[in-house]
Amino acid sequence: MGRLSGEIRQEEDGKRKRLQRDLIFNENYPAIKSDFINKMLKGEYADFDAVHEKSRLLKLNLSEPEYAVITIDIDDLAIMTENRSAAEKQLLKFAVMNIA
C-alpha cells in the first residue's frame, strides 16, 4: 500500500509542477513571443527548423509565404520615461502595442 500511495503522490506532484510551469508560461507568453519575433527579425536564428519548432511551440503560424513588419518609434520616449518606474514603462509599452 505504501508504494502505491507514493506513486500517487509522485504523480500528483508532477501534475502540480506541470500546472505551475503552464501558469508561468501563460503569464509570460506575450514577452516570450515578442522576444522570439525580435530575435527572428534581427536574424539571430540561422536554422529554419529551429524557427519552425519554436513558432510551433508558441502557436505562431508562420506558414504564409510573406509577412509585413511594422516598427513604431515614439519621439523622445527616453526623455518622457526617464523618471518612470519599470512597471510604468512596461505599461506604456503594453498600451502602445495594443493601440498598434
Side-chain angles (χ1 to χ4, degrees), residues 35-37 39-40 42-48 50-51 54:
D35 183 61
F36 169 68
I37 291 170
K39 286 180 178 179
M40 190 174 54
K42 291 177 184 176
E44 293 183 22
Y45 292 102
D47 182 18
F48 178 76
V51 169
K54 186 137 188 180

Side-chain angles (χ1 to χ4, degrees), residues 19-21 30 35 44-45 62 65 67-68 72-73 79:
L19 285 172
Q20 275 184 312
R21 183 194 64 221
D35 183 61
E44 293 183 22
Y45 292 102
L62 298 181
Y67 294 90
I72 298 173
D73 185 27
I79 294 169

Side-chain angles (χ1 to χ4, degrees), residues 52-63:
H52 182 70
E53 178 62 19
K54 186 137 188 180
S55 67
R56 188 188 64 75
L57 290 171
L58 293 173
K59 297 179 176 115
L60 295 172
N61 182 5
L62 298 181
S63 62

Side-chain angles (χ1 to χ4, degrees), residues 12-29:
E12 287 174 353
D13 286 345
K15 285 180 184 178
R16 192 173 13 265
K17 286 179 183 177
R18 283 190 298 279
L19 285 172
Q20 275 184 312
R21 183 194 64 221
D22 291 347
L23 178 64
I24 291 169
F25 175 80
N26 289 334
E27 286 178 350
N28 293 294
Y29 177 75

